[in-house]
Amino acid sequence: MALHETFSLGVDPELGLQAEVAALNAQFEDATADDILRAAIRHQFAGGIAMVSSFGADSSVLLHMVAQVDPSTPVLFIDTVKLFPATILYRDTLIEKLGLTDVRTFKPSKDDLEKTDPAGMLWMSDTDTCCHVRKVVPLERALNGFEAWISGRKRHQSSTRTSLEHFEIDAGRVKVNPLADWSAAEVLDYAKSHDLPPHPLVAEGYPSIGCLPCTSKVAPGEDPRSGRWRGQDKTECGIHWPTHGKEIDGSGI
């Protein structure tokens, strides 16, 4: 049962959403990423789903899959105004190569930045608030009107993602994780087999790419995300916390 149908039947929205997600996880437990995407985009959430992409290190794989299902699927990109210039160029490269027709870029509002980060240096003293105003708030605005969104998170990426399911609830929406059970090798093999261009910073030692001030190179053998907020007790920007900014289980794109 799709989410919008629960309202017309008088079902409590929260309980209806929980039941829907449980049913989807049972139905697609052993499904391929392609099957999950086709069902989500064309049927379950048709017209009400978007993909959220950072156009980061391995974003090309899921973007390619989505484009194969429907290149007009909305793709939401949060430009924090602190990104590597290479990421912006990579976004434009993938849009052209994959034929994506509805990529929407969102930035933090000028009012929010003037209020919380007028000097643009908040990342030096309070990374959580910096991430909140530059990523979490713009994403909430970008997701307005959508009942579901697609994420590229994978269980292998960090200890906080080991129990990641294909479908989950996030702030009253369904979050779809088609690549949840993919290994790093599978992602790389897919990219190579489909001749997808890598993010230019990967070859320079950045396997996980966020904002320029808070992303550092990763040494061989280190956790791929160890270069994010290095030296801090922080592993996520906040957009994947269940309550958008209030960490529950510490679950970026």
Side-chain angles (χ1 to χ4, degrees), residues 80-102:
T80 64
V81 200
K82 292 289 184 180
L83 299 176
F84 287 89
T87 295
I88 303 299
L89 293 174
Y90 188 54
R91 174 200 61 187
D92 297 342
T93 296
L94 288 180
I95 289 174
E96 182 177 356
K97 180 175 179 61
L98 303 179
L100 299 166
T101 62
D102 191 6

Side-chain angles (χ1 to χ4, degrees), residues 40-41 44-50 74 143 145-149 173-174:
I41 294 173
Q44 193 71 22
F45 308 107
I49 189 170
L143 286 171
F146 292 103
E147 61 176 310
W149 58 288
R173 296 182 181 86
V174 176

Side-chain angles (χ1 to χ4, degrees), residues 87-173:
T87 295
I88 303 299
L89 293 174
Y90 188 54
R91 174 200 61 187
D92 297 342
T93 296
L94 288 180
I95 289 174
E96 182 177 356
K97 180 175 179 61
L98 303 179
L100 299 166
T101 62
D102 191 6
V103 176
R104 309 176 188 181
T105 297
F106 295 83
K107 297 182 178 182
S109 74
K110 291 182 179 180
D111 287 344
D112 286 345
L113 290 181
E114 289 176 359
K115 179 180 179 181
T116 62
D117 191 13
M121 302 298 285
L122 184 60
W123 60 271
M124 297 184 68
S125 60
D126 189 346
T127 51
D128 284 341
T129 299
C130 186
C131 286
H132 184 77
V133 71
R134 291 181 180 274
K135 298 184 77 172
V136 177
V137 174
L139 179 61
E140 290 175 347
R141 187 174 74 250
L143 286 171
N144 186 42
F146 292 103
E147 61 176 310
W149 58 288
I150 302 163
S151 157
R153 290 178 306 154
K154 308 161 195 70
R155 294 169 189 159
H156 77 80
Q157 289 175 317
S158 69
S159 60
T160 61
R161 300 180 178 183
T162 55
S163 60
L164 186 66
E165 294 187 295
H166 287 126
F167 297 87
E168 58 185 337
I169 300 173
D170 187 314
R173 296 182 181 86

Side-chain angles (χ1 to χ4, degrees), residues 194-205:
H194 292 85
D195 194 27
L196 300 178
H199 192 298
L201 292 181
V202 172
E204 297 183 23

Side-chain angles (χ1 to χ4, degrees), residues 1 9 15 54 56 59 76 92 95 99 108 167 180 188 209 213 215:
M1 178 182 294
L9 295 177
L15 293 178
S54 66
S59 296
L76 313 180
D92 297 342
I95 289 174
F167 297 87
L188 185 59
I209 304 162
T215 304

